[in-house]
Amino acid sequence: MRFTTFAAAVAVALALAPAAQASTFGSNLIANGNAETGNTAGWATTPGFEVVNYGAAGGFPSLADPGPAARGTYFFGGGYSAKTSASQTIDLSALSAAINTGASRFDLSAWLGGYDSQNDNAELTATFFGSGGATLSQASIGPVSNTDRGNQIGLLLRDTQGYIPVGTLNVGITLTMIRNAGSYNDGYADNLSFAVAAAPVPEADAYAMLLAGLAVLGVVAKRKQRKGQA
């Protein structure tokens, strides 16, 4: 009977103790990252950068070409300039306490592509800024080359993860399209995402919490035993 009670106490303590390495990425913080507003709302853009319909005339990607399964109606295109870009800034100051533990992570992803055998392409960059606008670090995905695409029209998924630098207050997101051939800048992008993961509980802290829980349960058990003997 005592063994059963203790085993139950251990089970309860284990259930209460957090997983040492468990962390889940949160929601996408990029505004209009999928272009589904039908315009460039949420972005500061250079001349030429635009939103395009899937299947638009002129050889643009269709719903049947490689790309995201949930691609919606629109994607971003480079327009008729040799180099165009779109940018926005995400305020992370509300997450400073977690970020300054040095254990908060980010996930940067996007579907990037281009046209046929032309090597027009797109690149997505996250720049982490600290106090006074100081640049702390950068992370980039892309470009996807025509070779990567097998000289086909379409978009491929690119993703990178890492730790958010201590002291980060905001992150600048920049999408850049480069034209290498033809008259149209066929750098394409869709489903841009930047997400932050909660800082995991350090393993040592998790075990400490487990032991503390067991200690509390032990005290309660002893009190009950003494009460029963009285």
Side-chain angles (χ1 to χ4, degrees):
M1 186 69 176
R2 290 181 182 176
F3 176 78
T4 303
T5 302
F6 180 74
V10 172
V12 171
L14 286 172
L16 292 175
Q21 301 300 327
S23 62
T24 303
F25 285 100
S27 60
N28 181 16
L29 300 179
I30 294 179
N32 192 25
N34 56 10
E36 289 307 303
T37 61
N39 53 43
T40 58
W43 297 90
T45 63
T46 60
F49 186 93
E50 63 180 0
V51 168
V52 185
N53 283 71
Y54 277 102
F60 288 106
S62 70
L63 297 178
D65 289 317
R71 67 185 69 190
T73 303
Y74 305 100
F75 65 94
F76 296 113
Y80 286 93
S81 298
K83 180 178 180 180
T84 60
S85 65
S87 61
Q88 61 179 267
T89 300
I90 301 170
D91 184 3
L92 298 180
S93 59
L95 304 176
S96 291
I99 290 172
N100 290 336
T101 66
S104 291
R105 295 176 60 84
F106 71 88
D107 181 272
L108 180 70
S109 65
W111 288 78
L112 307 173
Y115 174 76
D116 207 37
S117 61
Q118 295 180 3
N119 198 30
D120 298 1
N121 56 70
E123 182 176 12
L124 184 65
T125 300
T127 304
F128 298 92
F129 297 105
S131 179
T135 300
L136 303 180
S137 71
Q138 283 188 330
S140 296
I141 50 176
V144 170
S145 69
N146 60 307
T147 303
D148 294 331
R149 294 183 280 102
N151 293 321
Q152 297 183 60
I153 299 171
L155 297 87
L156 303 179
L157 178 64
R158 291 293 183 264
D159 180 86
T160 189
Q161 301 175 6
Y163 287 98
I164 300 176
V166 170
T168 296
L169 295 177
N170 52 67
V171 57
I173 304 295
T174 302
L175 176 62
T176 304
M177 314 295 210
I178 299 294
R179 184 183 69 199
N180 288 303
S183 59
Y184 188 86
N185 183 340
D186 289 290
Y188 306 146
D190 199 1
N191 287 13
L192 281 57
S193 176
F194 177 87
V196 176
V201 176
E203 189 170 342
D205 290 350
Y207 282 119
M209 291 178 70
L210 170 61
L211 293 175
L214 288 173
V216 170
L217 288 171
V219 170
V220 172
K222 286 182 179 179
R223 288 178 178 174
K224 287 184 177 179
Q225 185 178 18
R226 290 173 181 172
K227 185 176 181 180
Q229 292 174 350

